[in-house]
Amino acid sequence: ASRPGPARTRAPRPHATGCGPSPAPAPRRPASGPRPLWVLEPYLCEWMAAPGAPGMQHWARRLEQEVDGVMRIFGGVQQLREIYKDNRNLFEVQENEPQKLVEKVAGDIESLLDRKVQALKRLADAAENFQKAHRWQDNIKEEDIVYYDAKADAELDDPESEDVERGSKASTLRLDFIEDPNFKNKINYSYTAVQIPTDIYKGSTVILNELNWTEALENVFMENRRQDPTLLWQVFGSATGVTRYYPATPWRAPKKIDLYDVRRRPWYIQGASSPKDMVIIVDVSGSVSGLTLKLMKTSVCEMLDTLSDDDYVNVASFNEKAQPVSCFTHLVQANVRNKKVFKEAVQGMVAKGTTGYKAGFEYAFDQLQNSNITRANCNKMIMMFTDGGEDRVQDVFEKYNWPNRTVRVFTFSVGQHNYDVTPLQWMACANKGYYFEIPSIGAIRINTQEYLDVLGRPMVLAGKEAKQVQWTNVYEDALGLGLVVTGTLPVFNLTQDGPGEKKNQLILGVMGIDVALNDIKRLTPNYTLGANGYVFAIDLNGYVLLHPNLKPQTTNFREPVTLDFLDAELEDENKEEIRRSMIDGNKGHKQIRTLVKSLDERYIDEVTRNYTWVPIRSTNYSLGLVLPPYSTFYLQANLSDQILQVKCKWPGPCLRPAPCLCPTPRPAPGSTASATCREYCKDLNASDNNTEFLKNFIELMEKVTPDSKQCNNFLLHNLILDTGITQQLVERVWRDQDLNTYSLLAVFAATDGGITRVFPNKAAEDWTENPEPFNASFYRRSLDNHGYVFKPPHQDALLRPLELENDTVGILVSTAVELSLGRRTLRPAVVGVKLDLEAWAEKFKVLASNRTHQDQPQQQCGPNSHCEMDCEVNNEDLLCVLIDDGGFLVLSNQNHQWDQVGRFFSEVDANLMLALYNNSFYTRKESYDYQAACAPQPPGNLGAAPRGVFVPTVADFLNLAWWTSAAAWSLFQQLLYGLIYHSWFQADPAEAEGSPETRESSCVMKQTQYYFGSVNASYNAIIDCGNCSRLFHAQRLTNTNLLFVVAEKPLCSQCEAGRLLQKETHSDGPEQCELVQRPRYRRGPHICFDYNATEDTSDCGRGASFPPSLGVLVSLQLLLLLGLPPRPQPQVRIHASRRL
């Protein structure tokens, strides 16, 4: 990271004066104030310059000795080691063998997913057979079909519902539901449910026939559940848009228009076709103006939503020339962030010039022929949006695409006009594509997704070879199950038109079965890996499937959750190598030095980690295990029956309310022990009231023994072991000590077994740290750092200063207990003290003074005395502070700064913090959080016009062609949609799905942390600010995470401009245009079906444009004037071949 200015420092020198000629005297202060620095500086320089001077070096040693002495007396590290050894017969030392562990977990996950695969295959085979046996009915009626409409209840509650208005004739079932915790929903196991997109007419012949034959799937769904009761949602997504899922549950109806269409879900797109290389070209010639251009922009955005992370895309506009709409000059991965760039760039397209199809197609073919970039290397296609033209550009196709026709061409006639569309139809038919018409808004969604049917042809014709299960990225389940992955299997149409006829080449849909991430997590070891060990998994894109840092704050079920492994952790070359090896499906093991963020994301630690990884067979996933060296071994309690049968007694008040499934044993008098947030036993009645919860736990323990099957024996036995061990720590060390003598608010111990014991009771009641050790930042940092880790109270710069008068504000000092048993070393606990902030601030001044003890009288020093300056007597001239390794203020000799303890030091003294950074005492690390949630941005001032409604210009009204081309018709139709749907064109996806307008949305936050740099020695330096130069001295305190700094107090603020920022800030993330130039390594699916010699390309779209009548136009005008907007008629566009 670059070093900001303007403060400049002279090159630091260990134990050097750092003092040159005195700067010009600064303006003198009033006589009553402190002495000017030009008088004190010679003495300060002399004090800092002397090698081995008793000044700062002496103070630093005194501070180190004081901290070490307190921790030796009260921390009880050595005593706790002895307690463990005295109770050696109560536990065994077990070893984590990384290779065996990761292979076992990978095998368990493979078995779990394999059971889902078998269910998928049964469903897909049954669906193909049911459809093959089905006889098409032309005269089928709604009343002939009985099914549960998942949206029926919501539509009946809505008086303006389409079905209520028309009076639905379908025989919709009314079901009873029961709450099921596995589905986090109300369900009915006896029926399936059906969801049909809002813009599809439920009574159409195609939909009714689809409902008719898919009804038979109900019994197969039930049989699957009988064979595997752990199955979650089983779903058939039809190519017609119908979704039939099991078990039945009411649809999660949004408050606004429901835009859910199964054909746009990530799992359906992945299962329905092979990966795609797509170039979208948009005609922006002068004839494409007003509404037509608006329709094109929206169509391109909808087209982008049909792409997944396995696809690559670029978008260009053309008239006489072609050029990319964004900064992307080649195909880029169709991930969420790249698609966002495209969508924003498309809105800036402007219509001008003349149409030049040749320029557009040549640009597109050149893009697809570029082999020097990463791409899908499977289906290749060009999507052209235009209002019409005469040129067929046959010479371009002959040059680039014939005779093999490896690139499919899809053409879209946009808007209502009188142009001849024959050339557009010919382009598509001559290049194995399809021709579509988008006359108005209602046709956009359907016609921008039906190209998938064409891409599915080679897959269908490949038959069994293409029947391979694929597993998706992580995404949010639309029915509330949370984060899931889905196994998908395409379902093919096996019918033939007649004896000897060609095989049908239509895909019927995609079968899917969900697996909740929580079910996969249950197969991974938890507490045996220690607080800083974990399991993770990634897919072929490098996105994490499992990771402790995968925790999106808000999710949009329209998009997958795509967190790259290198974004889940702090990126470095070693992790890039590990990621590549995992994507390639290799096994491996590597020990690395790397950076990790603390749990509270305020600190960075450099640590050693062991990475071990193996592929998960039969999937595209790879599993990894991360272990610190100190977690190679762990304790497992080995308790006798007598100890296990000891009954719990009423423990009194707990440490804090903890609505977790975690029992709390009885604490010793004067202390509180808390076992938190672990599910030790089932059938334990949880309660938000901790007292009630403890009572419930004790009652359960009176009924069952800890060896009961209701309890997790490992967790509960270790809990009992650690309860006894920490109890002995209380008896041997804490009970007879007077904490006030050393100005301590509390002493504490936290263990791997889940105990956090705080002494005395009052301190336990005021405890603000997470009582689950594995979730406490101090615990995890102490394990990763040697020596004493200081943690000041957390303060936000925007909040009010600390309130010191309540005597509860303290500074945590903690250290890990390292236990050596034979040749095995582990860290089973962390102990520490809580310093009284105000009392230790006074003590800090004494320790950094010339007094040997607090009762010795102060001695004034200055030009006429023969003593050294110190941080107590000269506190008006000297600033003395302790800053931790994250750059946060811990202690100061300035009383007015005591309430700023815990703040980033740049907020306290920006000038000095910048100098420390510039002199490499601190290093900065910047990263991005892609899982953050931000408050919605306030809407701009859009006037009184409805959002998304096109307003024609005066030139449009005066242009006869505008009226004769029926653009007015489209405008009125758009107005109707806008009035009903609020904003078709510009609605936020979350808003369109019915989320409250105040709901937080996903965003990117930039995080900045600081950590100690390479400087370990004692340094002097001068901050050069002209007449305001400032001398400082900085020294690391050994065996701690503290930096001791003594500096002249500033007399002016000329250097205050350079301020380091540490707080999290909203960001657009790294520049996407630069990132795509160095894409991260990935691999596409192992299979590709983009060609079959038997494919019939004769069905390539031969629609026609039907301009409206003048009578309809006048009627719409009258309806608008009366304020009675009609509900838009549903539009269903189904291939003729669907009628089978």
Side-chain angles (χ1 to χ4, degrees):
S2 61
R3 309 283 183 184
R8 301 181 304 277
T9 54
R10 300 176 187 175
R13 293 165 302 205
H15 305 297
T17 65
C19 302
S22 299
R28 294 181 179 271
R29 300 184 185 181
S32 57
R35 287 163 293 184
L37 292 186
W38 65 271
V39 176
L40 294 173
E41 186 169 305
Y43 302 92
L44 185 63
C45 289
E46 181 181 354
W47 161 73
M48 286 187 172
M56 186 163 184
Q57 303 288 332
H58 175 62
W59 302 341
R61 285 194 297 272
R62 291 176 65 178
L63 289 168
E64 294 162 357
Q65 292 168 1
E66 184 73 12
V67 171
D68 186 68
V70 169
M71 289 298 291
R72 287 180 181 276
I73 296 173
F74 290 96
V77 173
Q78 185 58 40
Q79 294 91 329
L80 193 55
R81 288 195 190 105
E82 294 172 359
I83 292 172
Y84 273 109
K85 292 178 180 179
D86 291 345
N87 293 277
R88 183 66 183 82
N89 62 312
L90 298 181
F91 60 83
E92 298 174 355
V93 179
Q94 302 291 347
E95 182 177 0
N96 282 315
E97 299 181 67
Q99 193 66 38
K100 290 183 179 179
L101 266 177
V102 75
E103 287 179 352
K104 179 184 182 303
V105 175
D108 292 343
I109 294 176
E110 180 189 356
S111 298
L112 171 70
L113 299 184
D114 184 65
R115 293 196 297 271
K116 317 307 176 188
V117 167
Q118 299 310 312
L120 263 178
K121 291 180 177 178
R122 287 192 293 268
L123 282 169
D125 291 343
E128 290 172 350
N129 292 330
F130 291 151
Q131 196 277 337
K132 185 176 181 180
H134 174 256
R135 293 294 173 262
W136 179 271
Q137 301 179 43
D138 283 318
N139 300 321
I140 193 170
K141 296 180 174 59
E142 286 189 75
E143 51 264 32
D144 297 335
I145 305 298
V146 178
Y147 67 99
Y148 172 65
D149 184 349
K151 299 198 293 186
D153 294 336
E155 289 172 345
L156 289 174
D157 293 339
D158 180 7
E160 297 184 0
S161 168
E162 179 182 328
D163 283 342
V164 174
E165 283 187 6
R166 286 182 308 152
S168 176
K169 299 178 182 178
S171 300
T172 300
L173 297 170
R174 303 302 297 270
L175 304 180
D176 295 323
F177 301 95
I178 58 171
E179 194 72 36
D180 190 307
N182 294 323
F183 287 88
K184 304 177 184 178
N185 219 326
K186 293 182 177 180
I187 57 94
N188 185 308
Y189 279 114
S190 300
Y191 294 91
T192 57
V194 171
Q195 190 273 353
I196 301 174
T198 303
D199 53 351
I200 291 181
Y201 175 41
K202 299 176 183 178
S204 73
T205 304
V206 172
I207 297 301
L208 293 177
N209 274 277
E210 193 82 8
L211 293 173
N212 192 17
W213 77 261
T214 58
E215 182 183 4
L217 289 173
E218 201 164 83
N219 292 330
V220 187
F221 285 140
M222 294 180 186
E223 176 60 21
N224 273 345
R225 180 177 178 271
R226 188 191 66 78
Q227 295 188 33
D228 182 2
T230 66
L231 281 176
L232 297 174
W233 300 123
Q234 304 175 63
V235 187
F236 174 61
S238 167
T240 62
V242 172
T243 305
R244 188 179 286 272
Y245 60 89
Y246 176 85
T249 189
W251 190 249
R252 293 165 66 94
K255 295 180 181 179
K256 298 183 181 180
I257 188 69
D258 180 17
L259 298 180
Y260 181 94
D261 189 323
V262 68
R263 295 167 296 183
R264 288 179 172 269
R265 298 293 285 141
W267 65 270
Y268 184 95
I269 294 171
Q270 181 170 325
S273 64
S274 294
K276 302 173 279 294
D277 286 324
M278 176 187 291
V279 178
I280 302 173
I281 54 176
V282 186
D283 180 1
V284 292
S285 60
S287 62
V288 181
S289 60
L291 178 62
T292 302
L293 182 59
K294 191 77 170 180
L295 289 172
M296 286 186 181
K297 293 177 180 179
T298 306
S299 298
V300 172
C301 293
E302 291 290 334
M303 179 68 71
L304 290 169
D305 285 338
T306 67
L307 303 177
S308 71
D309 290 80
D310 289 334
D311 303 321
Y312 282 74
V313 64
N314 201 359
V315 182
S317 61
F318 69 90
N319 37 44
E320 302 95 338
K321 297 181 179 179
Q323 59 183 2
V325 298
S326 70
C327 58
F328 301 145
T329 58
H330 54 73
L331 292 171
V332 297
Q333 187 181 17
N335 58 40
V336 175
R337 291 189 286 278
N338 287 342
K339 287 191 288 188
K340 180 182 178 183
V341 173
F342 282 128
K343 291 178 181 180
E344 292 174 352
V346 162
Q347 301 308 316
M349 292 190 305
V350 178
K352 60 182 179 181
T354 58
T355 304
Y357 286 159
K358 183 173 184 178
F361 277 108
E362 285 184 339
Y363 178 88
F365 279 114
D366 287 340
Q367 289 277 298
L368 293 172
Q369 289 183 355
N370 184 358
S371 59
N372 296 324
I373 59 169
T374 304
R375 56 183 184 174
N377 284 317
C378 193
N379 285 294
K380 299 177 180 62
M381 67 203 68
I382 299 172
M383 325 297 276
M384 181 180 73
F385 294 87
T386 181
D387 62 343
E390 299 297 329
D391 190 3
R392 300 192 178 197
V393 291
Q394 181 172 340
D395 57 329
V396 175
F397 297 132
E398 290 175 347
K399 177 181 178 181
Y400 289 96
N401 204 35
W402 293 355
N404 295 327
R405 291 174 170 80
T406 55
V407 177
R408 296 181 188 269
V409 175
F410 296 85
T411 56
F412 298 80
S413 175
V414 183
Q416 299 211 8
H417 47 73
N418 296 321
Y419 300 137
D420 181 15
V421 297
T422 304
L424 299 181
Q425 294 174 349
W426 179 87
M427 291 179 192
C429 295
N431 293 279
K432 299 172 62 175
Y434 209 93
Y435 164 74
F436 299 94
E437 291 181 355
I438 302 178
S440 59
I441 302 166
I444 291 177
R445 281 171 59 83
I446 291 175
N447 287 327
T448 54
Q449 69 192 19
E450 288 213 338
Y451 76 92
L452 291 172
D453 285 341
V454 179
L455 299 189
R457 291 172 183 171
M459 183 182 291
V460 177
L461 295 172
K464 292 184 179 180
E465 183 185 353
K467 298 298 288 288
Q468 299 191 32
V469 175
Q470 296 187 68
W471 289 96
T472 68
N473 298 332
V474 176
Y475 69 95
E476 177 79 5
D477 173 49
L479 290 172
L481 200 58
L483 295 180
V484 299
V485 293
T486 299
T488 66
L489 194 60
V491 180
F492 301 151
N493 192 328
L494 302 183
T495 60
Q496 293 180 331
D497 294 335
E501 295 293 330
K502 289 184 178 181
K503 180 181 178 182
N504 195 294
Q505 54 186 14
L506 281 177
I507 185 170
L508 290 177
V510 178
M511 202 66 72
I513 288 183
D514 289 346
V515 179
L517 285 195
N518 286 336
D519 290 342
I520 299 178
K521 289 178 183 177
R522 291 190 186 99
L523 301 176
T524 65
N526 289 326
Y527 298 102
T528 59
L529 302 181
N532 291 318
Y534 57 90
V535 171
F536 70 98
I538 66 173
D539 63 15
L540 294 179
N541 281 302
Y543 298 146
V544 295
L545 163 73
L546 296 175
H547 198 285
N549 293 335
L550 178 63
K551 42 190 176 184
Q553 300 301 307
T554 180
T555 53
N556 173 8
F557 76 80
R558 290 165 60 116
E559 295 284 1
V561 179
T562 52
L563 178 66
D564 196 283
F565 170 65
L566 298 179
D567 295 322
E569 304 192 1
L570 292 176
E571 181 177 358
D572 59 39
E573 292 182 359
N574 286 316
K575 290 177 183 175
E576 288 181 15
E577 182 182 328
I578 292 169
R579 178 181 176 275
R580 177 183 286 264
S581 179
M582 294 179 71
I583 290 174
D584 287 339
N586 300 323
K587 293 183 179 181
H589 174 84
K590 189 170 189 177
Q591 183 176 92
I592 65 173
R593 289 288 290 174
T594 187
L595 300 178
V596 297
K597 289 183 190 176
S598 64
L599 200 60
D600 56 13
E601 298 183 330
R602 303 181 79 208
Y603 298 91
I604 295 284
D605 291 310
E606 186 177 5
V607 300
T608 299
R609 293 288 188 263
N610 293 306
Y611 282 75
T612 308
W613 60 94
V614 297
I616 303 175
R617 292 187 295 271
S618 303
T619 73
N620 291 331
Y621 304 135
S622 183
L623 187 75
L625 172 66
V626 181
L627 269 184
Y630 53 78
S631 291
T632 302
F633 301 98
Y634 64 93
L635 300 184
Q636 181 172 347
N638 182 22
L639 307 180
S640 66
D641 292 339
Q642 289 89 350
I643 295 178
L644 290 177
Q645 292 170 3
V646 172
K647 302 296 183 180
C648 293
K649 302 299 182 184
W650 178 241
C654 180
L655 179 150
R656 55 168 298 185
C660 316
L661 294 180
C662 35
T664 303
R666 180 183 180 183
S671 71
T672 299
S674 175
T676 56
C677 301
R678 305 189 189 198
E679 191 174 357
Y680 294 95
C681 294
K682 299 177 181 178
D683 301 329
L684 176 60
N685 296 324
S687 172
D688 289 341
N689 181 285
N690 195 75
T691 302
E692 181 68 24
F693 171 75
L694 295 175
K695 185 177 179 181
N696 294 340
F697 174 71
I698 293 169
E699 290 176 353
L700 180 64
M701 288 295 99
E702 291 175 348
K703 298 176 184 178
V704 301
T705 66
D707 276 337
S708 167
K709 293 182 179 179
Q710 294 187 38
C711 298
N712 183 314
N713 289 340
F714 172 79
L715 291 181
L716 193 53
H717 290 194
N718 276 30
L719 171 72
I720 295 172
L721 171 69
D722 286 358
T723 302
I725 284 178
T726 55
Q727 169 64 28
Q728 293 183 46
L729 181 65
V730 173
E731 300 294 338
R732 296 189 189 184
V733 182
W734 296 349
R735 183 184 301 281
D736 299 326
Q737 297 288 350
D738 182 8
L739 302 187
N740 293 328
T741 302
Y742 289 86
S743 304
L744 304 181
L745 297 176
V747 288
F748 60 88
T751 71
D752 270 3
I755 287 288
T756 298
R757 189 181 287 274
V758 182
F759 180 90
N761 267 339
K762 183 181 184 306
E765 294 169 1
D766 298 327
W767 189 252
T768 57
E769 301 297 320
N770 195 309
E772 161 57 58
F774 282 21
N775 295 335
S777 183
F778 80 87
Y779 187 84
R780 296 173 69 159
R781 290 204 71 212
S782 297
L783 293 176
D784 273 332
N785 289 275
H786 292 283
Y788 307 123
V789 177
F790 282 69
K791 181 180 182 293
H794 183 199
Q795 273 211 84
D796 192 296
L798 301 179
L799 301 178
R800 62 183 180 181
L802 293 173
E803 297 178 357
L804 302 179
E805 61 273 9
N806 57 13
D807 295 328
T808 62
V809 179
I811 300 166
L812 292 189
V813 187
S814 56
T815 188
V817 177
E818 187 162 283
L819 187 62
S820 294
L821 300 169
R823 296 183 178 181
R824 296 168 293 185
T825 301
L826 61 159
R827 298 176 185 174
V830 168
V831 296
V833 300
K834 187 176 183 180
L835 310 178
D836 184 311
L837 192 156
E838 197 166 359
W840 271 77
E842 291 289 353
K843 181 178 291 190
F844 168 61
K845 289 195 291 185
V846 173
L847 292 171
S849 73
N850 297 321
R851 288 198 287 166
T852 56
H853 54 82
Q854 199 158 354
D855 296 330
Q856 181 180 346
Q858 299 178 357
Q859 182 180 3
Q860 296 291 336
C861 299
N864 299 321
S865 60
H866 298 284
C867 68
E868 297 174 355
M869 300 175 64
D870 64 39
C871 296
E872 182 182 26
V873 175
N874 303 98
N875 65 339
E876 292 185 350
D877 303 306
L878 290 182
L879 171 66
C880 303
V881 291
L882 290 179
I883 313 171
D884 70 14
D885 56 330
F888 298 97
L889 178 63
V890 176
L891 287 174
S892 171
N893 71 331
Q894 305 297 311
N895 293 21
H896 69 277
Q897 291 181 351
W898 290 355
D899 61 359
Q900 299 183 66
V901 166
R903 287 192 173 175
F904 186 57
F905 192 59
S906 186
E907 298 163 11
V908 181
D909 192 327
N911 177 238
L912 183 53
M913 183 63 196
L914 182 59
L916 293 172
Y917 172 70
N918 284 339
N919 282 276
S920 300
F921 284 100
Y922 286 94
T923 300
R924 178 167 57 194
K925 182 67 177 179
E926 294 179 342
S927 59
Y928 294 94
D929 178 8
Y930 294 101
Q931 305 177 90
C934 298
Q937 296 293 323
N941 182 12
L942 301 178
R947 287 172 56 208
V949 176
F950 165 67
V951 181
T953 64
V954 174
D956 289 327
F957 280 111
L958 296 178
N959 187 347
L960 180 61
W962 185 80
W963 291 96
T964 57
S965 67
W969 158 257
S970 289
L971 169 62
F972 289 133
Q973 190 177 18
Q974 180 180 339
L975 283 169
L976 289 177
Y977 275 93
L979 289 170
I980 296 171
Y981 291 78
H982 177 62
S983 175
W984 183 278
F985 283 133
Q986 300 177 11
D988 179 76
E991 183 179 314
E993 296 298 341
S995 301
E997 292 186 2
T998 57
R999 178 182 176 183
E1000 291 183 329
S1001 59
S1002 176
C1003 63
V1004 179
M1005 299 296 288
K1006 183 178 181 181
Q1007 294 183 342
T1008 304
Q1009 289 93 8
Y1010 292 81
Y1011 60 101
F1012 280 153
S1014 57
V1015 177
N1016 291 313
S1018 178
Y1019 276 79
N1020 303 331
I1022 289 182
I1023 306 172
D1024 188 0
C1025 288
N1027 290 340
C1028 294
S1029 295
R1030 189 179 177 194
L1031 178 66
F1032 75 90
H1033 185 113
Q1035 178 174 336
R1036 292 265 294 273
L1037 296 189
T1038 59
N1039 209 36
T1040 74
N1041 65 327
L1042 297 179
L1043 180 69
F1044 181 28
V1045 182
V1046 178
E1048 297 173 333
K1049 293 181 70 173
L1051 288 178
C1052 52
S1053 57
Q1054 293 179 4
C1055 292
E1056 288 295 315
R1059 181 180 295 271
L1060 298 177
L1061 298 178
Q1062 187 273 336
K1063 65 178 182 179
E1064 196 174 54
T1065 56
H1066 187 273
S1067 171
D1068 292 330
E1071 180 56 54
Q1072 287 298 115
C1073 302
E1074 297 177 3
L1075 288 182
V1076 297
Q1077 301 303 322
R1078 49 181 191 282
R1080 286 171 173 167
Y1081 180 73
R1082 66 173 295 277
R1083 291 181 63 187
H1086 303 300
I1087 55 175
C1088 172
F1089 299 96
D1090 61 342
Y1091 172 78
N1092 191 288
T1094 64
E1095 178 184 348
D1096 179 8
T1097 62
S1098 60
D1099 180 14
C1100 53
R1102 303 193 182 278
S1105 178
F1106 299 97
S1109 66
L1110 181 61
V1112 174
L1113 202 63
V1114 173
S1115 299
L1116 285 170
Q1117 287 176 318
L1118 291 173
L1119 286 170
L1120 285 171
L1121 291 173
L1122 293 172
L1124 300 173
R1127 183 168 295 277
Q1129 288 299 310
Q1131 300 192 30
V1132 179
R1133 187 184 187 283
I1134 304 293
H1135 288 302
S1137 52
R1138 287 262 175 242
R1139 184 184 177 281
L1140 292 171

